[in-house]
């Protein structure tokens, strides 16, 4: 199996990730933050380790303001619903995933105004467009750091700094970038950063989180036992407890901590370079094939390791099916949960075939994929 | 280490649980329901297997109406906030965990009326008390199947059937009972059943879920990509997708499926009997010791495997600390996230020492615990 669906979930994971998952489950499988016995303390420490590792990776000023969720979607909802209320105006991009677009649609129905920035031909936004969109009631700017359909990688540093100058709360969806591309909470001034644990950070599925900047008053999505201030009828006000009700995913977070440690050992930049190299190889190879339509920015522009394409005369789903069945190549086909992006690139009917290599993808795998695609095009189109 | 904190998280798990977690992560670590390649299909199947196993265990008429969450707390919030609105009246018990009490407090502040049934001396509720509490605007009855502080096990079958006669929506918190005690969704008529994956069901932490009966209109807690109806601006209306936005915890749910399969192999009744035997042994032993105050029902009344006590003249936290450090016995001390229950039994100041044996606790471990407690009482009090 050649796995090119890393934009959904990275696979395989570094071996240490599963070792730490097992260690958490078998050696200290107790409740973090709920008791004083040694196993419970080890569980708490393990989760704290994940917070510290992430705060270092993202240059976050306070590990306790990184809170954990089931996935990035939950984190984005927490950020978006917590920031916007009826009468507010929010600015977003035209490439958003449903994890941003659907909460915004609900809020729109409740009286929040939404502006979708079109950006340039590839969806890259700039400060002028942002400035033009401002209204007196503009409250927030929420955007995907990189599109999961086109790969378009925004200049998030510049956009965040400008948005902060305009007094906006900046919410970034780092689903496609966390662990691979540079993210700097402190220097850029990011208010809310949502990240999945199971993609570029190499954690197991079932992990994700949100950086919540100082001074933001976000209500929790749900309430319950926190192991702290248990005598109070209300949720504690301090972080992370305010947002982490009920038993947390200790083995998953122990795995996530190991994934982030792995990134630090390799060096994030090296992972970024490796993914870039693989993506360029893929783009170069595909662009030379007849009947191939490639979407997203050309090879020299900033992008995440996501390559979307279609083959003339063949349904994306059929082509993906054949890649899997005949060549054991795993890709994703269809709408990738991001209809806004598909509308932009004109593929809302049946989506695209998406290749997403990861750090563990080998050069020769890309070569095999290119030759499989070429062969299939001849056979089916 | 003797682990008597199973009411928080069961430990150890059956070996097959971690094997399935690993298999999910290593062999088919892709996104469930998001692509058509083989690994993604295997991930979907694995989650579906968990739904089917749980629907059989709980006698649920439709596996697709069991939806997964991070933990039981999230499931309870989904149920409670989805059922009640300003002007409604809700009836609950006086033994609730903060996972029920805190959402109800928030709703109370928003205009929901709440009645706490006192039950008898041990908190057991009956139909007369329920009937007396009814008001024209009574909407729901929400209660813990068993208290995590006193162990009081309600006659949930009878209470649910009566509440249904009165036209109430019945929400059950099965945190202390799922996997161990009888739960019958279809026969009793339960509308919403919240369960943790990591306690009696032997799944890993980071798993939990909610049964959502037909005809209930519960809005999701959050919105996003569901891998279905991706072209729609709105969340799909069908279950489970409506409530499962973003990437799910596939390895955790694969482990949970294995845990439920383990229960079926052993036989739930056998697990219940074993836990009862251990609990009686513990209760009998402790009740013969001087300076011990035991809380909750006497030995012949229905209870979950939870034993709370205090030692005259010693703080619960101190005693628990010594049990851990000197005798390597893991218990939980303090308020157990359930201040309502502690108020009832008069331990709101410093809580209790809680022993919770599990299926894997051995007879001789209970004996060792009893002798350690006796020894410590002599030394410290």
């Amino acid at each position: 199996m050649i796995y090119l669906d890393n934009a959904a979930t990275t696979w395989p994971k570094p071996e240490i990730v599963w070792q730490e998952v097992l260690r958490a489950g078998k050696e200290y499988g107790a409740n973090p933050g709920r008791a004083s016995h040694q196993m419970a303390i080890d569980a708490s420490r393990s989760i704290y380790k994940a917070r510290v590792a992430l705060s270092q990776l993202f240059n976050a000023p306070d590990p306790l303001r990184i809170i954990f969720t089931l996935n990035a979607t939950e984190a984005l909802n927490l950020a978006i619903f917590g920031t916007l209320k009826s009468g507010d105006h929010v600015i977003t991009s035209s490439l958003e995933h449903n994890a941003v677009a659907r909460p915004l649609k609900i809020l729109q129905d409740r009286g929040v105004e939404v502006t979708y920035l079109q950006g340039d031909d590839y969806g890259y936004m700039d400060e002028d467009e942002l400035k033009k969109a401002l209204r007196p009631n503009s409250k927030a700017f929420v955007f995907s750091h990189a599109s999961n359909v086109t790969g378009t990688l925004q200049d998030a540093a510049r956009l965040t700094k400008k948005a902060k100058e305009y007094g906006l709360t900046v919410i970034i969806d780092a689903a496609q970038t966390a662990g691979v591309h540079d993210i700097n909470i402190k220097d850029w001034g990011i208010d809310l950063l949502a990240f999945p644990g199971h993609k570029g950070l190499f954690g197991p599925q079932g992990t994700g989180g949100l950086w919540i900047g100082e001074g933001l008053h976000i209500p929790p999505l749900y309430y319950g036992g926190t192991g702290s201030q248990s005598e109070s009828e209300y949720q504690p006000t301090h972080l992370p407890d305010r947002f982490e009700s009920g038993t947390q995913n200790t083995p998953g977070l122990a795995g996530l901590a190991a994934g982030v440690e792995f990134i630090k050992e390799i060096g994030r930049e090296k992972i970024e370079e490796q993914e870039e190299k693989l993506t360029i190889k893929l783009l170069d190879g595909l662009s030379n094939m007849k009947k191939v339509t490639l979407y997203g920015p050309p090879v020299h522009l900033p992008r995440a390791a996501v390559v979307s394409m279609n083959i003339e005369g063949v349904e994306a789903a059929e082509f993906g099916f054949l890649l899997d069945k005949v060549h054991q190549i795993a890709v994703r086909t269809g709408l990738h949960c991001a209809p806004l992006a598909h509308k932009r690139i004109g593929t809302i009917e049946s989506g695209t075939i998406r290749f997403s290599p990861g750090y563990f993808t080998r050069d020769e795998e890309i070569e095999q994929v290119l030759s499989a695609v070429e062969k299939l095009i001849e056979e089916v189109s």
Side-chain angles (χ1 to χ4, degrees), chain A residues 192-244:
Chain A
L192 294 144
L193 177 82
F195 58 87
H198 59 101
K199 301 192 183 190
L201 296 170
F202 294 124
Q205 291 176 352
T207 60
L210 182 68
W211 157 260
I212 301 179
E214 287 271 9
L216 298 170
H217 298 284
I218 310 277
L221 281 179
Y222 52 91
Y223 305 80
T226 49
S228 60
Q229 298 176 14
S230 292
E231 69 292 353
S232 169
E233 292 173 290
Y234 293 99
Q235 202 72 356
T237 53
H238 65 279
L239 273 66
D241 299 32
R242 182 166 181 75
F243 299 100
E244 292 182 357

Side-chain angles (χ1 to χ4, degrees), chain A residues 223-277:
Chain A
Y223 305 80
T226 49
S228 60
Q229 298 176 14
S230 292
E231 69 292 353
S232 169
E233 292 173 290
Y234 293 99
Q235 202 72 356
T237 53
H238 65 279
L239 273 66
D241 299 32
R242 182 166 181 75
F243 299 100
E244 292 182 357
S245 292
T247 301
Q248 299 300 297
N249 180 359
T250 316
L253 295 172
L256 175 57
V260 179
E261 287 302 329
F262 175 85
I263 293 168
K264 279 192 212 159
E265 272 165 41
I266 301 290
R268 185 197 57 72
E269 291 84 352
K270 203 181 146 197
I271 295 173
E272 186 179 12
E273 272 167 35
Q274 167 71 356
E275 290 200 359
E276 193 183 3
K277 206 181 72 183

Side-chain angles (χ1 to χ4, degrees), chain A residues 293-314:
Chain A
T293 305
L294 279 168
Y295 303 98
V299 80
H300 63 281
L301 292 179
R303 78 187 290 154
V306 165
V307 175
S308 266
M309 70 155 195
N310 265 314
I311 309 292
E312 200 186 312
V314 193

Side-chain angles (χ1 to χ4, degrees), chain A residues 52-125:
Chain A
V52 170
L54 286 161
S55 68
Q56 288 168 351
L57 183 70
F58 296 144
N59 196 24
D62 180 359
L64 296 178
R65 303 196 72 87
I66 288 177
I67 64 112
F68 292 119
T69 56
L70 177 66
N71 51 35
T73 299
E74 186 192 338
L76 283 164
N77 275 255
L78 184 52
I80 291 169
F81 284 108
T83 302
L84 295 163
K85 58 177 198 312
S86 177
D88 287 339
H89 172 234
V90 58
I91 303 169
T92 188
S93 90
S94 59
L95 294 173
E96 295 308 303
H97 187 276
N98 273 340
V100 169
R102 282 182 172 164
L104 288 184
K105 185 67 193 169
I106 296 282
L107 284 170
Q108 211 169 7
D109 293 348
R110 295 182 193 161
V112 169
E113 301 165 22
V114 185
T115 299
Y116 299 90
L117 301 187
Q118 291 303 307
D120 67 8
D121 287 354
Y122 309 110
Y124 293 107
M125 299 178 288

